[in-house]
């Protein structure tokens, strides 16, 4: 039986984000939907300033969601 390849890219941060902030990534995606009209770095700044996420975690969430939504 083969093991799946390790998760790469922004999603690799998800377990750490959930552990650090105590909320599932789906929560953060819902939060980001409230500011979906902002630019990438404006969304990152929103998560950092309003929700106290670290830069890497905020950027990973924004990058993943923007890539998923096109």
């Amino acid at each position: 039986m083969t093991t799946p390849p390790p998760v790469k890219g922004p999603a690799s941060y998800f377990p750490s984000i959930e552990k650090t902030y105590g909320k599932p990534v789906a929560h953060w995606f819902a939060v980001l939907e409230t500011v979906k009209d902002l630019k990438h770095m404006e969304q990152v700044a929103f998560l950092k300033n309003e929700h106290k996420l670290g830069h890497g975690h905020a950027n990973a969430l924004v990058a993943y969601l923007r890539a998923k939504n096109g």
Side-chain angles (χ1 to χ4, degrees), residues 32 35 38-59 62:
L32 283 170
V35 293
L38 296 179
K39 294 178 182 176
H40 180 110
M41 290 309 296
E42 292 171 335
Q43 290 179 319
V44 171
F46 169 77
L47 289 176
K48 290 169 63 176
N49 296 331
E50 300 298 321
H51 298 280
K52 307 305 182 210
L53 271 70
H55 180 82
H57 287 162
N59 191 59
V62 173

Side-chain angles (χ1 to χ4, degrees), residues 7 9-18 25 56-57 60-61:
V7 176
S12 68
Y13 286 86
F14 292 176
S16 177
I17 291 168
E18 291 182 342
V25 293
H57 287 162
L61 288 165

Side-chain angles (χ1 to χ4, degrees), residues 23-32 51:
K23 296 188 183 329
V25 293
H27 166 81
W28 299 113
F29 295 147
V31 168
L32 283 170
H51 298 280

